[in-house]
Amino acid sequence: MDFTIKTMAEYAAEGKAPEVLFFVGCAGSFDDRAKKITKAFCKILHKVGVEFAVLGQEESCNGDPAKRAGNEFIFQMMALTNIEIMNAYEVKKIVTSCPHCFNIIKNEYPSLGGNYEVLHHTQFLRKLMEDGRLKIEGGSFKGKKITFHDPCYLGRANGEYEAPRMLLEKLDAELVEMKRCKSNGLCCGAGGAQMFKEPEKGDKDINVERTEEALSETPNIIATGCPFCNTMMTDGVKHFNKNDEVAVKDIVELLAEAEDL
Amino acid sequence: MQYIDNIIFFIALIAGFGFFFKSLKEIYRNIQLGKKIDRTDNPSVRWKTMAKVALGQSKMGKRPIAGFLHVIVYVGFVIINIELIEIIVDGIFGTHRFLAGIFGDTLYGVFTATLEILALLVIIAVVLFFIRRNFYGVKRLTMKELFGWPKQDANWILLIEFALMTAFFTMNSADWVLQQRGVLAEHGNFPVSSGLIAPLFGNFGDSTLVFLERGAWWFHFVGILFFMNYLYYSKHLHIILAFPNTWFANLQPKGKFNNLDSVTKEIKLMMDPNADPYAAAPEADPNAVPDKFGANDIFDLNQVQLLNAYSCTECGRCTSVCPANITGKKLSPRKIMMDTRDRIEEVAKNINKNGKFVDDGKKLLDDHIQREELWACTTCNACVEACPVLIDPLSIIFEMRRFLVMEQSSAPSELNVMMTNVENNAAPWAYNQADRLNWAKEN
């Protein structure tokens, strides 16, 4: 990165508070593919001039995979650790680039004492755009066909279908919808801790089924809004040997590309 | 002796409703077997949800063909049952077409004509449903979990509805012919009966027609009582329970799963630097049953989840959108609901026989629902979204996973690796927490 990413600790040392805490999440911190999404998002925030911080080494897993697997103990251990730290920094507003972080901090942290305004990165960017702070010129995507895969934990779980689509529309590309989209969207197969285990025996893998559906729209780009969906769809595209023709990209990566960041 | 009809009618009526309320009481008792849950917040939103989803059928339209036919049968069923009021009054007091006197001839004509048209639409819908279910090969209606009773049940219902409507038309047609002949006073307007069926009755004698009219009237009445009491054994219980079920539905975002308070206490104590690790445990109530984590039987599920099981129509809309099921895994959200109801019934029979529940060595987990089904779920909420009566199969799957992990430590080994990583490294992968910001220094 050609600018410094500041932590909450650094802000606190200066006696200041950032506009928003970017909760990076495990995938965004450690997974090579997801790190690109993290960086793209930071670049946009930096360009717009949003003062943001991360927790860095003080961040822990949000607890979602443990919770969905059924392990309430480990989930609450993570959640209460995060809450204690975020409350100590008096965090008010959080943005995440992972719908699982978004969902669990927004919905399951409050009853444990963590009350924040939580936004998914597509919601945050839409707000920036509506406030006139973020301007997108989508020229470079003209003539391209994009299809968007709804993440379950953003869509069905929290009813957000429009923010990602509004951002994609700014790219001047042709936006095509899959047959199963929005509230009928099909899972990528990674949720509910499935990301961390082999699927049960069946006829095919869920990500293959979903990618097949996406590819039937002959898109140039499959847009995602979740690092896990991104992995699953990328694997799916590879399964069909289409990785040279079809790119799987997070919305925020597309925006960064449009801005030539 | 002239009152014998009225007396028999009255006894049948009391018996029919009596058994019906006995069944309802039993269902209520069975639902009470579950854990209490407070779902009475925001009553105004709840009434609205019920009006929209149960009364207004708002989620049925998502599958237009089935939805349209369903609405016809539903509206027909509701309105034709106004006829039941007339049947009951006529039956008890020996009157004939009692409502005609109340409504006046014009309105009564409109009323009977409306009923006739609806009844015809119901017959058409029922026949189409029968063909669709048995010969058309809709995947969700031909899956193996529907073999046996669930399939017969569906066909019985269609047959009963068909028979009831046929009796209704026979009654009206005979009545109309008798009215034309001046045997009965002229009341009502019967566009379908007079046009389509009455010509077939033209050659019948008066006494035959009276017999037909009375026979069909009795059949219709007894049929309704039978239908009502059949509901207890049928998935058609949803025609009643859809209402409370939508009222008690979850109003929270679908992604919000409940947090266990007992765990919060433990962890807070664990994280509290001032807690004395050697302090004696507070005096425990010797009679307290230790909290069980999650669910392996119906007693651990909450009452709304048990109500959900009774409200399930086994339509399979949940299963047909389940990503695990679509890709050939064993999980079927519909089967989860059917298994739960089967287990409730099993327990109910046990209670009826023994006066209270006597351990039968069986559980919902393993004896009904297999672990393989539970582990295939991606928690995507598609099943919850799809249910026309707001059932939440995911919440049951989730509670059972909790039991597997926290009571039995029997998660798939890869998940145990993930959970150990989260516990030790604060990430599902074995990376060091100290490396969490390394990406910021990379290009």
Side-chain angles (χ1 to χ4, degrees):
Chain A
M1 306 285 290
D2 45 14
F3 56 94
T4 16
I5 303 292
K6 281 169 76 174
T7 60
M8 286 304 289
E10 284 161 350
Y11 267 98
E14 292 169 19
K16 291 199 293 191
E19 180 182 336
V20 64
L21 164 67
F22 172 27
F23 194 96
V24 182
C26 299
S29 302
F30 292 122
D31 181 272
D32 282 336
R33 177 67 187 85
K35 278 195 260 183
K36 291 184 185 162
I37 302 170
T38 306
K39 289 178 207 167
F41 184 50
C42 289
K43 283 176 187 167
I44 292 182
L45 292 181
H46 180 69
K47 172 153 194 257
V48 173
V50 174
E51 289 215 314
F52 71 98
V54 298
L55 285 169
Q57 298 178 2
E58 289 186 287
E59 185 185 283
S60 297
C61 169
N62 61 60
D64 169 87
K67 172 109 182 188
R68 266 59 191 168
N71 198 324
E72 182 79 4
F73 272 104
I74 295 179
F75 155 65
Q76 289 204 15
M77 241 163 66
M78 292 301 118
L80 288 164
T81 310
N82 280 323
I83 289 168
E84 193 164 296
I85 289 166
M86 293 194 290
N87 285 356
Y89 287 124
E90 294 177 355
V91 168
K92 302 266 178 314
K93 193 170 177 179
I94 299 174
V95 62
T96 77
S97 56
C98 170
H100 296 268
C101 298
F102 162 71
N103 174 71
I104 211 160
I105 300 175
K106 177 172 173 280
N107 293 319
E108 291 169 30
Y109 278 27
S111 77
L112 300 172
N115 293 289
Y116 320 101
E117 182 194 348
V118 192
L119 295 167
H120 184 246
H121 65 321
T122 55
Q123 296 176 320
F124 189 68
L125 291 171
R126 179 183 61 181
K127 258 199 171 146
L128 290 177
M129 213 169 61
E130 284 168 354
D131 295 347
R133 289 168 76 182
L134 171 66
K135 290 180 185 66
I136 303 161
E137 308 279 337
S140 58
F141 287 94
K142 223 170 204 145
K144 293 241 163 95
K145 213 166 163 186
I146 303 180
T147 190
F148 175 61
H149 163 78
D150 285 281
C152 305
Y153 273 87
L154 179 66
R156 262 192 305 271
N158 290 290
E160 181 60 85
Y161 304 107
E162 290 314 313
R165 287 178 171 79
M166 278 181 70
L167 294 172
L168 287 171
E169 275 162 20
K170 296 282 167 192
L171 293 176
D172 284 341
E174 186 195 349
L175 197 55
V176 286
E177 293 287 0
M178 286 182 251
K179 277 198 195 74
R180 288 175 286 205
C181 64
K182 298 187 180 174
S183 63
N184 297 322
L186 187 80
C187 175
C188 70
Q194 299 291 342
M195 179 77 188
F196 305 98
K197 65 185 256 295
E198 283 299 312
E200 322 305 312
K201 226 168 77 85
D203 308 328
K204 62 160 112 166
D205 287 345
I206 295 172
N207 66 325
V208 171
E209 166 90 11
R210 183 53 164 169
T211 312
E212 198 172 11
E213 185 175 15
L215 292 177
S216 74
E217 303 291 340
T218 60
N220 304 98
I221 297 162
I222 298 172
T224 59
C226 168
F228 296 104
C229 295
N230 194 300
T231 303
M232 297 308 263
M233 300 304 279
T234 305
D235 287 352
V237 171
K238 277 185 199 148
H239 175 92
F240 290 105
N241 282 322
K242 293 270 183 184
N243 33 328
D244 290 335
E245 302 143 57
V246 183
V248 180
K249 295 241 166 100
D250 193 277
I251 291 173
V252 81
E253 291 181 289
L254 298 173
L255 296 182
E257 241 173 75
E259 293 296 302
D260 206 15
L261 293 174
Chain B
M1 287 301 281
Q2 56 175 325
Y3 294 118
I4 196 133
D5 272 8
N6 311 45
I7 292 167
I8 294 174
F9 180 90
F10 193 69
I11 292 171
L13 186 72
I14 297 297
F17 273 89
F19 280 121
F20 176 62
F21 284 116
K22 189 174 158 278
S23 300
L24 284 186
K25 225 177 98 187
E26 192 158 314
I27 290 168
Y28 182 74
R29 180 200 73 188
N30 297 345
I31 288 173
Q32 298 285 319
L33 295 172
K35 286 185 177 166
K36 287 210 171 352
I37 175 173
D38 185 19
R39 283 273 177 83
T40 51
D41 56 313
N42 290 309
S44 63
V45 180
R46 294 187 176 283
W47 286 113
K48 257 182 230 155
T49 310
M50 188 179 91
K52 207 172 84 189
V53 179
L55 195 67
Q57 308 258 307
S58 62
K59 295 194 84 169
M60 288 305 290
K62 274 215 163 175
R63 313 241 176 163
I65 298 172
F68 178 66
L69 294 179
H70 186 273
V71 169
I72 289 178
V73 176
Y74 167 73
V75 173
F77 176 82
V78 170
I79 295 181
I80 288 167
N81 269 329
I82 300 175
E83 174 87 357
L84 192 62
I85 301 169
E86 185 169 55
I87 288 184
I88 290 174
V89 176
D90 282 351
I92 294 175
F93 299 105
T95 47
H96 186 69
R97 296 204 175 267
F98 151 82
L99 285 178
I102 307 255
F103 285 1
D105 270 345
T106 320
L107 187 58
Y108 191 71
V110 174
F111 172 64
T112 46
T114 312
L115 292 191
E116 285 240 312
I117 289 161
L118 280 172
L120 182 66
L121 289 174
V122 170
I123 284 195
I124 294 169
V126 163
V127 170
L128 290 176
F129 267 142
F130 188 85
I131 295 169
R132 184 167 181 270
R133 184 167 277 272
N134 291 287
F135 308 111
Y136 201 66
V138 178
K139 193 176 167 235
R140 67 190 161 99
L141 302 179
T142 51
M143 291 169 70
K144 72 168 187 289
E145 66 214 39
L146 284 190
F147 287 179
W149 172 239
K151 193 175 172 73
Q152 291 162 23
D153 181 17
N155 283 334
W156 275 118
I157 282 290
L158 293 175
L159 201 70
I160 294 170
E161 280 167 0
F162 185 82
L164 284 176
M165 292 304 114
T166 311
F168 178 73
F169 279 124
T170 309
M171 174 181 97
N172 279 352
S173 302
D175 193 334
W176 185 78
V177 178
L178 288 170
Q179 288 185 21
Q180 299 307 303
R181 293 183 190 169
V183 181
L184 290 171
E186 278 197 45
H187 292 301
N189 189 358
F190 308 98
V192 180
S193 293
S194 63
L196 281 179
I197 310 163
L200 303 173
F201 292 179
N203 298 326
F204 293 174
D206 285 357
S207 56
T208 314
L209 286 173
V210 169
F211 179 77
L212 267 181
E213 197 274 337
R214 283 292 88 191
W217 186 89
W218 274 100
F219 183 91
H220 193 66
F221 168 64
V222 174
I224 287 172
L225 292 183
F226 173 78
F227 184 83
M228 216 162 76
N229 282 290
Y230 175 76
L231 289 181
Y232 178 66
Y233 307 95
S234 165
K235 56 186 170 190
H236 276 69
L237 204 46
H238 77 276
I239 62 174
I240 301 166
L241 294 188
F243 292 88
N245 197 64
T246 49
W247 200 88
F248 287 114
N250 180 21
L251 299 178
Q252 302 286 335
K254 292 191 182 70
K256 180 178 181 175
F257 291 13
N258 66 331
N259 294 333
L260 294 177
D261 294 338
S262 55
V263 174
T264 315
K265 240 184 281 166
E266 289 282 319
I267 309 236
K268 282 200 169 150
L269 198 66
M270 219 169 75
M271 287 172 58
D272 181 3
N274 300 318
D276 174 5
Y278 301 108
E283 197 83 8
D285 176 0
N287 297 322
V289 183
D291 248 353
K292 183 154 122 191
F293 296 120
N296 70 335
D297 211 348
I298 54 156
F299 306 101
D300 313 318
L301 295 173
N302 68 48
Q303 294 173 354
V304 172
Q305 287 166 323
L306 301 190
L307 173 64
N308 278 181
Y310 271 121
S311 309
C312 176
T313 321
E314 301 168 12
C315 69
R317 291 173 184 226
C318 52
T319 294
S320 72
V321 296
C322 171
N325 193 279
I326 288 170
T327 54
K329 279 98 180 157
K330 278 214 176 111
L331 174 63
S332 159
R334 166 172 61 187
K335 184 177 166 293
I336 299 284
M337 300 320 296
M338 291 167 71
D339 287 341
T340 306
R341 179 166 173 182
D342 287 350
R343 176 61 185 156
I344 302 173
E345 293 293 308
E346 197 173 82
V347 169
K349 278 193 194 125
N350 185 317
I351 295 175
N352 289 346
K353 196 174 135 210
N354 302 310
K356 64 178 175 57
F357 180 66
V358 176
D359 189 11
D360 57 355
K362 288 187 186 165
K363 294 275 188 272
L364 178 59
L365 178 69
D366 294 332
D367 293 308
H368 293 269
I369 296 173
Q370 307 307 310
R371 289 158 195 241
E372 188 179 338
E373 300 170 41
L374 299 172
W375 288 119
C377 174
T378 68
T379 71
C380 74
N381 264 306
C383 55
V384 185
E385 176 74 37
C387 182
V389 293
L390 309 181
I391 290 170
D392 185 352
L394 172 53
S395 68
I396 296 181
I397 297 171
F398 177 59
E399 286 301 338
M400 295 187 85
R401 276 191 182 180
R402 265 183 178 158
F403 178 85
L404 289 175
V405 170
M406 290 203 284
E407 292 280 338
Q408 296 202 322
S409 306
S410 61
S413 60
E414 298 147 297
L415 286 187
N416 282 330
V417 173
M418 176 273 289
M419 290 187 282
T420 311
N421 282 331
V422 174
E423 193 171 8
N424 295 333
N425 308 321
W429 300 285
Y431 292 111
N432 195 324
Q433 193 165 10
D435 294 335
R436 240 186 143 92
L437 198 50
N438 286 3
W439 60 267
K441 288 158 222 133
E442 297 163 5
N443 278 315

